[in-house]
Amino acid sequence: MAMQDNDKLAVLIDADNAQAAVIQELLAEVSRYGTATIKRAYGDWTTPNLRGWKDVLHQAAIQPIQQFRYTTGKNATDAALIIDAMDVLHAGRVDGFCLVSSDSDFTRLATRIREAGLVVYGFGERKTPEPFVAACDKFIYTEILRTEEVPPAAPEGEFPALEPLLTAAVEATMRDDGWAALASVGSQIGKTHPAFDARNYGFAKLGELARSQPYLEIKEVPSTRTDGVTLIHLQVRLKAHAARHR
């Protein structure tokens, strides 16, 4: 999954199924993956339950898309979002989509966008059904976007056990000497677990999470760019592998 700062992204929000309270943090997260050139929120804005969105829409320059509920029990908002998404997809105006909802109805939409070769970032609460999570290239739980200094760790058992997850990723990406680039380890995990994020486990970054694991060995490898700036890259190795090759 290629993530470029200059990627153009369409942020499509199911306002009936997303929280306005975290929208500023959500857009800041989106900026890590590209530039939000399209920002739209879908819902029936004549209803009182979307009142909390109104100020947020203006502050974040999000375009509200009105969709009346023609009949009870039919989600016209979902249909309007999906139709717009397909129009944007076929227009070739963006490099990827950010779908903001905890609704599994967007599973097929995410799959279709990825089939077209575009990246899909999903945003939703931890109650989001697994099929929608799995259909995205990366899925971010909005609970970790709260403005807290250190995000709370997830309850035990809510996310995949870390040791087998990290061990398998290191083994899949390591060189003959057992060392693997931490960035490659993170990318490897993301291929099979789109919702993987160090913040789900109470750590701000993957490096902090890796350093806290007693079965991993971490080293810093400096490299100097052509402009003279020195960067520090983290590499990781399984301590068990190191012990076997001493």
Side-chain angles (χ1 to χ4, degrees):
M1 178 180 61
M3 295 182 289
Q4 303 293 333
D5 291 341
N6 58 351
D7 276 357
K8 297 178 181 178
L9 302 175
V11 181
L12 306 182
I13 304 168
D14 175 10
D16 292 332
N17 210 279
Q19 293 185 331
V22 296
I23 196 63
Q24 294 295 347
E25 293 82 1
L26 187 149
L27 291 175
E29 181 75 11
V30 168
S31 70
R32 296 176 59 186
Y33 311 113
T35 302
T37 56
I38 296 174
K39 293 183 288 185
R40 300 174 184 172
Y42 299 78
D44 186 352
W45 302 102
T46 65
T47 60
N49 60 305
L50 295 184
R51 187 177 296 119
W53 275 96
K54 302 225 175 139
D55 290 338
V56 174
L57 293 174
H58 296 300
Q59 294 169 0
I62 298 172
Q63 179 185 5
I65 305 297
Q66 171 63 28
Q67 183 58 53
F68 291 103
R69 297 180 181 178
Y70 299 112
T71 58
T72 303
K74 300 293 185 182
N75 199 334
T77 296
D78 288 6
L81 190 156
I82 291 170
I83 291 170
D84 268 12
M86 295 308 296
D87 285 344
V88 172
L89 174 65
H90 290 301
R93 298 164 54 191
V94 299
D95 304 298
F97 286 77
C98 298
L99 304 179
V100 185
S101 180
S102 302
D103 193 338
S104 62
D105 287 350
F106 297 108
T107 300
R108 178 57 187 143
L109 174 62
T111 302
R112 177 64 185 85
I113 293 171
R114 291 180 68 188
E115 287 173 351
L118 275 66
V119 66
V120 178
Y121 304 101
F123 294 82
E125 297 178 355
R126 285 178 177 159
K127 66 181 181 180
T128 305
E130 183 59 31
F132 181 35
V133 173
C136 299
D137 288 286
K138 181 171 179 59
F139 196 92
I140 298 96
Y141 292 115
T142 53
E143 286 87 348
I144 66 175
L145 301 179
R146 307 284 182 186
T147 51
E148 298 174 0
E149 204 167 299
V150 178
E156 186 176 352
E158 184 172 345
F159 296 107
L162 270 176
E163 184 167 355
L165 194 65
L166 289 170
T167 297
V170 171
E171 290 177 339
T173 57
M174 68 184 185
R175 302 187 301 271
D176 290 341
D177 60 1
W179 289 102
L182 187 62
S184 298
V185 171
S187 297
Q188 178 67 23
I189 296 174
K191 292 177 182 178
T192 55
H193 295 80
F196 177 79
D197 194 304
R199 292 169 293 182
N200 290 329
Y201 299 90
F203 295 89
K205 296 181 179 179
L206 180 57
E208 297 175 12
L209 173 61
R211 290 183 190 277
S212 72
Q213 305 305 305
Y215 50 89
L216 295 179
E217 183 179 353
I218 306 294
K219 71 174 180 179
E220 297 181 352
V221 179
S223 66
T224 303
R225 300 191 321 201
T226 54
D227 59 2
V229 175
T230 299
L231 302 176
I232 301 297
H233 302 281
L234 293 183
Q235 296 198 358
V236 59
R237 180 169 67 174
L238 297 172
K239 288 183 177 179
H241 183 279
R244 288 196 301 268
H245 290 81
R246 281 180 186 148

